Amino acid sequence: MTTTAWSSWPRPCVFSLALGWLLLGQVPTAASVIGGCIAVGGVLLLSRAQNVPHHPDKEEEVMTTPPVTEDVIALYIQQDQADALRQAVEDAVDQIGARLATISLWRPATGDLVRVFSTLPDIYRTGGISAELGNEWTQQCVVRLESFIAESPADLQTDAFEHYETLAALRLGAGINAVIQLNGRFLGCLNLMDSPGSYTHDHLLAAQAVADGLGSVLDAIASELGFVNT
């Protein structure tokens, strides 16, 4: 790109000034020198601009990222319940921040999570099933009811997170997994995702406070959908 731009027209201009000076004794005027400098500077700036790599903004990243590959089931959620989920996520995003926020419901019979709310529904669809949940995640979240934080992309490389390529495409490198429970029964999770280094332990505590208010809502949804929690 640089060679093409430089070879277009400033080079003959500069060479003609130099040859006229050396061979014919024609001293360049101030105007011609200034004009030549402007021409060369313009081409250099254009060349640098053409060689700057394109970094898509957040909106473009979302528009060009395909939906994650997963099984999806149809869900029917009451409007007041959907409003409660949406309000909880809005509170979490306002207090903590997140470029992706989801709420998932536990299905004890199949040992998986079903997404019941998503701020990026074209990528992480409502009704999407997270089935590849490992024993470490199950013991921590389902059995011990412990929330956790992932501060960097390396921390996401666990059985608690799926779709690593999609997370990388969206430049999401930090996450919070806040347990939702009611009377000691695991019901699901509030998940927040953002850029690497976005979250601290204080953010985890704030997310847990939001998740603690979702127990009765998720329990009602589970009962109506037939996801019996024992």
Side-chain angles (χ1 to χ4, degrees):
M1 298 292 291
T2 302
T3 301
T4 302
W6 175 248
S7 62
S8 55
W9 63 273
R11 185 168 63 182
C13 177
V14 174
F15 283 177
S16 63
L17 290 175
L19 289 175
W21 187 10
L22 294 175
L23 300 180
L24 303 177
Q26 296 177 345
V27 179
T29 64
S32 62
V33 172
I34 293 173
C37 291
I38 292 175
V40 173
V43 171
L44 291 177
L45 289 175
L46 177 61
S47 300
R48 292 188 62 182
Q50 291 173 334
N51 288 315
V52 172
H54 173 63
H55 295 295
D57 58 23
K58 296 176 182 179
E59 183 177 355
E60 183 178 349
E61 289 169 351
V62 171
M63 293 177 61
T64 58
T65 301
V68 297
T69 301
E70 61 185 357
D71 292 332
V72 180
I73 63 173
L75 297 178
Y76 176 75
I77 299 175
Q78 300 284 350
Q79 186 60 52
D80 60 333
Q81 296 168 344
D83 291 342
L85 298 178
R86 181 178 297 104
Q87 185 60 56
V89 167
E90 289 178 357
D91 291 343
V93 172
D94 288 342
Q95 297 174 30
I96 306 161
R99 291 173 54 201
L100 168 64
T102 63
I103 298 175
S104 296
L105 177 63
W106 175 245
R107 298 197 301 178
T110 50
D112 54 28
L113 290 168
V114 178
R115 198 174 302 111
V116 294
F117 186 86
S118 172
T119 56
L120 296 179
D122 291 336
I123 301 175
Y124 289 89
R125 293 163 289 185
T126 300
I129 299 174
S130 296
E132 298 180 6
L133 302 171
N135 183 67
E136 182 179 350
W137 177 89
T138 302
Q139 289 298 314
Q140 180 168 354
C141 295
V142 181
V143 178
R144 300 197 301 271
L145 301 176
E146 295 176 355
S147 301
F148 63 90
I149 183 174
E151 299 180 5
S152 68
D155 295 334
L156 299 179
Q157 302 293 322
T158 69
D159 58 13
F161 297 93
E162 299 177 300
H163 318 299
Y164 304 122
E165 293 182 356
T166 300
L167 294 177
L170 294 172
R171 289 190 281 178
L172 299 174
I176 289 177
N177 187 101
V179 166
I180 302 171
Q181 57 89 24
L182 184 65
N183 299 325
R185 292 184 295 116
F186 177 73
L187 292 172
C189 295
L190 166 66
N191 288 103
L192 306 177
M193 305 292 300
D194 212 322
S195 304
S198 296
Y199 297 133
T200 65
H201 183 68
D202 289 341
H203 293 128
L204 176 60
L205 295 178
Q208 187 60 62
V210 175
D212 288 342
L214 287 169
S216 59
V217 177
L218 230 55
D219 188 48
I221 295 174
S223 298
E224 293 176 8
L225 294 177
F227 302 159
V228 181
N229 290 270
T230 57

